[in-house]
Amino acid sequence: MRRLFLITTVLFFILSQPVYALKVREFHLKNGLKLLVIENHKAPIATFQVWYRIGSRNEQRGKTGISHLLEHMMFKGTKNYGPKTFSRTIQKNGGIDNAFTTKDYTMYYENLSSDRIELAMKLEADRMQNLLLSPEDVKYERSVVMEERRMRYEDDPQSLLYEELIAAAFKVHPYHNPVIGWMDDIASLSADDLRRHYQTYYRPDNAVVIVAGDVSAEQVYELVRKYFGSIKPAKKPLCKVRITREPGQRGKRIVYLKKEAELPYLLMAYHVPSYPERDAAALDVLSTIVSGKSGLLYRDLVRKKKIALSAFASYSGLNKDPFLFFFGGTPVPGKTAEELLEAMKKEIEYLKTNPPTERELQKARNQVEATFIMGQDSIFFQAELVGMFEMIGDWHLIDQYLKDIRSVTPQDVLDVAKRYFNDENLTIGILVPDKRGKDK
Amino acid sequence: MKRAVYLFIGVLLVLLLISPSFAFDAHREVLPDGMVLLHSEQPYLPVVHVVVLLKASPFDEPPDKAGLANLTAELLMEGTDSRTSEQISEEVEFIGAELDASASRDYTTISLSVLKKHLKKGMELLSDVLLNPSFREDEIERKKELIIGSLKRSEEDPSFVASRAFRKALYGTEHPYGRLVRGSVETLKNITREDIVKFYKDHYLPGNAIVAVVGDISLSDAKGLIKRYFSGWHGRVSPEKKTCRVRKRFKRTIITIDRDLKQATVLLGHLAVKRTNPDYYALQVMNYILGGGGFASRLMTRIREDLGLAYDVYSFFTSSKDVGFFQVGVQTKNPSASDVIEIILKEMKRIQSQPVSDEELSDAKAYLTGSFPRRIDTMDKIARFLVLTEFYGLGLNYDKDYIRLINSVTKQDIQRVAKKYLHPEGYTLVVVGKIKETGIK
């Protein structure tokens, strides 16, 4: 359903054991397309994924949301297959398909029984080069996306606060813009805009195909060559849009959002580096340690002080550019967001003065290990993991990341807390509930 | 000609899917104390999943103490005779395991996912929370406050508000399907520690339990595990009480809830069938064509693809122990709500009055049968699949039966069940949004 573009804050940890390490085979086509295959024979199914290195990060002012709208248009037919064909064809073969757009990339996938995988290749190779993009279809799909925006943001106070917070934390870097785009921009995107975007970024040397499941790597390579090999390489090198770097923050920022809601909501964000920068692993371990029911935030804010209904910390280092470390939560009825903010700050101060215990660190390692091994039960997760690392640079980084996570010390965790959790580096978002009139 | 081709593909699919290479072997055994043990060995990863399903649900709670089943389940994790709540979560999280207890409409589940090397510790924790919960007074109060807070937060979600009103209109609050599993602020206040202890004693019994053990573990090891960790679990199940009756009424009812929102959340539907109804399979195929099949469905094609009126529109029939319901759901900008509702009703009438096309029928069957392997493609899904097929009495061969039953559905069946179970005149409609802008009265 062309869903979900947000959720960049997916929990994300990895650690491998030699036996259960991912075995990835890498292939290259002459036109620049990269292919990664992970064989997994436990069930007769496979996932076929195409990742394009294009997301809202690459968008220009006035055209925000174009990557996401183009993702929608990718289901609206090609010169060879009419509209309303793509998903139907996959579904009547027992499969399911979808796609999502993030700030850094756009990903399309089909999950099928493994003997049907050729179908996905045929359709994906086709829409990489032959998309219709009729103005009539664009008109309707634009209104679909506007409905999506109303549903996900305009009518959801917590998501809207997130959008406000990000926009305040990034003044000039394109992470400022929501992936779905600003309403006014969405309404103005034309078929010509989309065609330009499509021709610029949807090319074999800007795409990675990832296949996981009950397949043979050699056979997949042959088939991918058959379907994607005939796509002409792009004539010009990929034009790189210059991305404005975000200057260092020099003072606390606070945004308020007034909206019909039952309870206040608090979000806090500190600018932090992304992987493979050095501190990323320690930040990841830190977020793991304070999370969960046995983590500091639940223990103190929910259980002991009874000030929060829920409290969380969240960090993912898998971004192309430096992003944010989040804290947040909902105060219990009767408490304000400001009170929760004060309590949260005390916890953060605690983290800046007390290194974690050896047992806490071991707990984080164990959780990372379990998540990684259990995650391998899903071929989709396996492929996605490889893809996410590939998008930030190179899938081989997975191995390095595992090592980095394992080598994090209590002092490292303390150091990153001290280095980044400072007021001048902080943006705060507060949802102020606007009382509604009585219904019923 | 076309039909023949599709049929052929259909047959081919079925043959492929039931090939023995995939059908997983499951073992079923009733233990002396009445517990049903289900086991499937999946040696691909050093992981074990255990799911305990208990026949304990909101059916077993009085309406003025709604939320009792859920509160009891959630409190399992909040302290035992030998462990505090903090100790439980710390020990579980230290080994990277997941241990959760929750109640749903028809049953309660306690599930454990754990690496094989920590299996003993995991089982020790599972059996401790299941057999020795302490239900401490302070934990009860704490939990109630959290649930009340979460209910308040839910009020911000238009889908939640709409769904609660929809269920209440269909079932009334006497029937558990008409209430929230979490209960309400008022009913939670009525629940005492004695209620919880009694609920636990009456329903958390081996004879009420279905246990699935799935993963890197042999049958004899699984049995050994159950023997060792559940040996202290005794008690006899008293005969099931009569469930309250659902009054089937099909009278057009419109409920509007005014909120300052850009979109109207629309739910439209009515009562339908129990999971055990033999027409369940024909209904699944019919519903796929109507609104269950995503982009292959008529509602999505019309409302999203042709008209751009919504991001998502769906329909479903619930599968439940007692009489379930049919529901169509959609969110659209307030001024489009009336148009969308009209389209929904038109499509409900169309599928009653005209047979579906050959292509629609074969596509629906091909999807429902062809996607089946993906419903059981992880250990966790297999474990849930096993306890639920047992609970709903679908049999150990359900994976094969399902495919046969779906494939036996005809065009005539579809029209018959559409006529019998869809009520485009006698529906309940709930709209949450800026009502004035929707033009709905």
Side-chain angles (χ1 to χ4, degrees):
Chain A
M1 313 241 153
R2 352 266 189 256
R3 306 222 132 133
L4 298 185
F5 43 86
L6 179 85
I7 315 192
T8 43
T9 51
V10 195
L11 286 199
F12 220 79
F13 322 104
I14 330 105
L15 201 100
S16 109
Q17 287 192 326
V19 190
Y20 301 100
L22 285 172
K23 288 188 199 86
V24 183
R25 293 279 308 276
E26 180 172 331
F27 302 89
H28 293 265
L29 267 58
K30 285 203 185 89
N31 58 17
L33 185 81
K34 189 188 259 193
L35 165 67
L36 303 172
V37 187
I38 306 140
E39 290 190 23
N40 182 332
H41 301 287
K42 75 183 174 88
I45 50 167
T47 181
F48 187 84
Q49 307 180 346
V50 183
W51 299 62
Y52 292 94
R53 299 179 195 274
I54 169 70
S56 61
R57 175 179 175 273
N58 311 83
E59 291 168 358
Q60 304 294 300
R61 270 181 91 105
K63 306 283 177 204
T64 64
I66 192 168
S67 306
H68 174 249
L69 180 57
L70 179 59
E71 176 226 304
H72 275 239
M73 293 307 300
M74 284 284 277
F75 294 85
K76 302 298 269 187
T78 66
K79 291 169 196 150
N80 302 321
Y81 299 91
K84 301 177 190 172
T85 309
F86 197 99
S87 300
R88 264 166 219 225
T89 308
I90 296 296
Q91 281 179 236
K92 75 180 172 205
N93 281 278
I96 200 89
D97 65 313
N98 210 332
F100 57 88
T101 308
T102 73
K103 51 197 190 331
D104 298 329
Y105 56 84
T106 309
M107 190 265 248
Y108 300 82
Y109 68 87
E110 292 77 39
N111 297 341
L112 297 136
S113 49
S114 39
D115 59 345
R116 303 278 154 140
I117 194 143
E118 195 171 341
L119 178 71
M121 296 188 195
K122 199 158 116 190
L123 292 172
E124 286 290 6
D126 176 52
R127 69 176 173 181
M128 188 183 279
Q129 44 188 336
N130 299 319
L131 202 60
L132 272 181
L133 286 170
S134 87
E136 184 73 358
D137 286 340
V138 170
K139 193 179 95 191
Y140 283 114
E141 207 55 32
R142 225 167 30 207
S143 55
V144 168
V145 172
M146 287 158 80
E147 290 293 352
E148 184 180 0
R149 186 176 158 88
R150 287 183 192 105
M151 183 179 90
R152 287 196 202 281
Y153 287 94
E154 321 257 319
D155 282 349
D156 182 336
Q158 295 186 39
S159 301
L160 205 55
L161 183 69
Y162 178 81
E163 186 177 274
E164 292 284 316
L165 178 91
I166 303 290
F170 290 96
K171 293 193 302 178
V172 293
H173 185 282
Y175 283 168
H176 170 85
N177 300 311
V179 174
I180 199 167
W182 302 107
M183 199 58 124
D184 191 49
D185 285 357
I186 302 171
S188 75
L189 293 169
S190 69
D192 286 343
D193 292 332
L194 289 158
R195 184 166 308 285
R196 215 169 305 125
H197 202 64
Y198 177 67
Q199 283 167 352
T200 310
Y201 295 105
Y202 282 57
R203 39 193 271 176
D205 59 346
N206 197 39
V208 181
V209 169
I210 305 181
V211 185
D214 187 18
V215 295
S216 129
E218 309 300 337
Q219 272 171 24
V220 167
Y221 175 53
E222 284 314 313
L223 285 171
V224 166
R225 263 197 1 190
K226 175 175 163 195
Y227 289 102
F228 290 82
S230 58
I231 301 175
K232 288 197 191 78
K235 287 193 191 88
K236 283 187 261 174
L238 191 67
C239 92
K240 288 254 183 342
V241 174
R242 203 184 149 273
I243 310 265
T244 318
R245 272 205 298 188
E246 186 69 22
Q249 189 172 330
R250 289 168 174 266
K252 188 163 69 182
R253 298 171 192 165
I254 306 187
V255 288
Y256 293 94
L257 172 71
K258 205 169 165 190
K259 179 121 180 78
E260 191 174 280
E262 292 293 321
L263 293 170
Y265 184 59
L266 169 72
L267 281 174
M268 302 165 70
Y270 295 97
H271 286 279
V272 288
S274 293
Y275 200 72
E277 274 183 66
R278 212 187 133 264
D279 288 337
L283 287 163
D284 208 340
V285 169
L286 171 60
S287 78
T288 307
I289 286 175
V290 299
S291 300
K293 239 178 119 187
S294 68
L296 182 73
L297 299 179
Y298 186 94
R299 236 166 48 211
D300 264 18
L301 300 175
V302 179
R303 168 177 289 285
K304 221 180 280 164
K305 295 183 184 159
K306 295 191 168 63
I307 191 168
L309 273 181
S310 62
F312 69 87
S314 155
Y315 170 72
S316 164
L318 300 185
N319 318 291
K320 283 210 73 110
D321 295 322
F323 196 55
L324 302 164
F325 191 111
F326 296 93
F327 290 96
T330 298
V332 295
K335 297 280 184 193
T336 64
E338 284 79 3
E339 286 172 287
L340 179 56
L341 174 64
E342 280 320 300
M344 190 70 90
K345 278 197 157 171
K346 277 189 196 137
E347 302 302 333
I348 294 168
E349 277 313 308
Y350 180 87
L351 293 170
K352 288 164 70 175
T353 40
N354 297 279
T357 63
E358 195 43 57
R359 185 168 165 96
E360 281 179 313
L361 214 60
Q362 188 56 43
K363 181 177 82 177
R365 287 190 204 112
N366 290 348
Q367 287 182 324
V368 167
E369 179 195 41
T371 308
F372 183 69
I373 294 177
M374 289 185 193
Q376 296 201 38
D377 205 5
S378 155
I379 54 163
F380 185 83
F381 174 83
Q382 288 187 327
E384 200 184 11
L385 187 67
V386 168
M388 288 170 92
F389 275 92
E390 178 63 22
M391 287 302 113
I392 60 162
D394 182 350
W395 65 268
H396 289 97
L397 286 171
I398 293 177
D399 293 337
Q400 185 56 44
Y401 198 56
L402 303 173
K403 279 182 210 140
D404 290 349
I405 290 267
R406 262 187 251 124
S407 63
V408 169
T409 67
Q411 188 62 41
D412 293 337
V413 175
L414 185 69
D415 287 346
V416 293
K418 278 188 186 156
R419 192 165 304 138
Y420 300 106
F421 297 165
N422 299 308
D423 265 5
E424 54 270 32
N425 188 31
L426 169 64
T427 306
I428 298 166
I430 288 180
L431 169 67
V432 184
D434 194 10
K435 278 287 153 218
R436 66 185 145 82
K438 279 277 162 232
D439 49 82
K440 285 165 212 165
Chain B
M1 191 59 202
K2 203 166 185 187
R3 184 193 301 185
V5 172
Y6 274 106
L7 245 169
F8 174 71
I9 294 173
V11 171
L12 203 80
L13 247 173
V14 173
L15 289 176
L16 281 170
L17 291 169
I18 57 174
S19 65
S21 66
F22 188 55
F24 62 83
D25 285 324
H27 171 87
R28 178 184 184 275
E29 188 171 336
V30 183
L31 304 178
D33 46 16
M35 181 198 294
V36 177
L37 172 66
L38 300 155
H39 167 264
S40 174
E41 186 167 351
Q42 302 286 327
Y44 308 101
L45 288 169
V47 175
V48 177
H49 291 263
V50 181
V51 176
V52 180
L53 181 148
L54 285 161
K55 291 168 195 160
S57 73
F59 279 99
D60 306 305
E61 63 192 24
D64 65 335
K65 291 181 195 286
L68 176 58
N70 178 59
L71 188 59
T72 307
E74 290 204 12
L75 281 165
L76 295 185
M77 302 300 296
E78 306 299 339
T80 67
D81 297 341
S82 59
R83 285 181 175 90
T84 64
S85 167
E86 283 117 312
Q87 282 169 329
I88 294 168
S89 49
E90 205 278 337
E91 286 182 50
V92 170
E93 289 173 9
F94 185 76
I95 56 172
E98 276 174 46
L99 179 60
D100 296 303
S102 66
S104 59
R105 305 243 162 231
D106 285 353
Y107 50 81
T108 292
T109 53
I110 298 108
S111 49
L112 169 75
S113 307
V114 65
L115 293 183
K116 196 180 179 184
K117 65 178 175 184
H118 299 305
L119 179 57
K120 279 184 185 155
K121 185 74 188 176
M123 281 305 289
E124 185 191 315
L125 287 159
L126 168 63
S127 81
D128 195 28
V129 302
L130 183 57
L131 305 188
N132 313 308
S134 53
F135 301 119
R136 275 171 45 174
E137 204 69 73
D138 57 339
E139 291 292 351
I140 295 172
E141 283 317 303
R142 200 177 70 83
K143 200 79 205 175
K144 277 190 192 176
E145 279 169 33
L146 287 179
I147 294 171
I148 288 170
S150 79
L151 286 168
K152 217 163 156 82
R153 178 101 278 175
S154 300
E155 297 288 339
E156 287 164 15
D157 177 2
S159 300
F160 167 84
V161 173
S163 171
R164 181 179 51 190
F166 183 77
R167 283 175 172 276
K168 195 172 157 193
L170 252 43
Y171 292 97
T173 47
E174 287 299 305
H175 192 284
Y177 291 175
R179 312 187 295 253
L180 294 176
V181 175
R182 280 181 288 171
S184 67
V185 177
E186 296 75 38
T187 60
L188 281 166
K189 282 182 182 149
N190 294 337
I191 300 172
T192 64
R193 181 171 190 275
E194 286 71 63
D195 294 328
I196 295 165
V197 171
K198 184 167 181 333
F199 186 90
Y200 173 80
K201 280 199 174 132
D202 290 349
H203 303 290
Y204 282 57
L205 297 166
N208 269 339
I210 300 164
V211 181
V213 181
V214 174
D216 188 10
I217 181 167
S218 69
L219 175 60
S220 66
D221 284 353
K223 283 163 87 170
L225 216 58
I226 297 301
K227 208 170 177 181
R228 174 158 174 214
Y229 289 100
F230 290 163
S231 60
W233 202 14
H234 301 295
R236 220 193 288 153
V237 177
S238 43
E240 209 171 327
K241 271 188 290 178
K242 263 208 189 132
T243 57
C244 38
R245 279 272 184 78
V246 178
R247 271 186 55 221
K248 277 206 190 185
R249 282 185 328 138
F250 299 99
K251 193 171 155 280
R252 200 165 82 103
T253 311
I254 297 175
I255 297 163
T256 57
I257 299 172
D258 200 33
R259 290 285 158 94
D260 186 15
L261 296 166
K262 299 258 164 65
Q263 280 186 325
T265 295
V266 174
L267 296 182
L268 188 153
H270 45 66
L271 293 173
V273 297
K274 294 183 184 182
R275 177 64 186 82
T276 46
N277 188 311
D279 283 332
Y280 179 83
Y281 302 93
L283 283 170
Q284 292 301 313
V285 180
M286 189 273 284
N287 182 61
Y288 181 89
I289 296 167
L290 176 62
F295 284 91
S297 77
R298 291 177 173 187
L299 288 176
M300 188 72 111
T301 304
R302 195 82 199 103
I303 292 171
R304 173 166 165 165
E305 296 213 291
D306 292 347
L307 299 167
L309 288 175
Y311 175 67
D312 189 18
V313 53
Y314 60 84
S315 69
F316 60 77
F317 284 82
T318 57
S319 30
S320 49
K321 192 168 92 169
D322 205 348
V323 177
F325 60 85
F326 165 73
Q327 184 185 87
V328 183
V330 61
Q331 284 163 306
T332 183
K333 57 185 177 299
N334 292 310
S336 312
S338 307
D339 290 348
V340 168
I341 291 164
E342 211 165 290
I343 296 168
I344 293 167
L345 293 171
K346 223 167 101 187
E347 288 299 340
M348 284 166 69
K349 286 175 194 157
R350 180 157 79 101
I351 207 164
Q352 289 183 315
S353 58
Q354 295 166 26
V356 299
S357 74
D358 294 327
E359 190 178 348
E360 282 176 312
L361 178 64
S362 63
D363 284 3
K365 288 181 179 181
Y367 177 77
L368 291 170
T369 55
S371 61
F372 199 82
R374 285 185 295 105
R375 284 168 60 181
I376 43 174
D377 67 355
T378 63
M379 295 182 211
D380 180 43
K381 288 189 202 168
I382 293 173
R384 298 209 162 260
F385 179 82
L386 287 175
V387 292
L388 289 180
T389 49
E390 174 70 24
F391 178 75
Y392 289 115
L394 306 176
L396 258 194
N397 290 321
Y398 180 62
D399 51 339
K400 292 155 201 99
D401 293 343
Y402 176 84
I403 285 161
R404 182 176 51 76
L405 289 162
I406 291 291
N407 278 312
S408 69
V409 173
T410 65
K411 269 159 82 167
Q412 290 72 28
D413 289 332
I414 288 185
Q415 202 168 355
R416 178 180 58 79
V417 297
K419 280 186 177 154
K420 188 167 176 191
Y421 299 106
L422 290 180
H423 299 271
E425 312 287 344
Y427 56 86
T428 294
L429 169 68
V430 177
V431 182
V432 178
K434 225 175 214 169
I435 300 303
K436 213 166 62 195
E437 289 180 8
T438 64
I440 293 164
K441 288 184 197 93

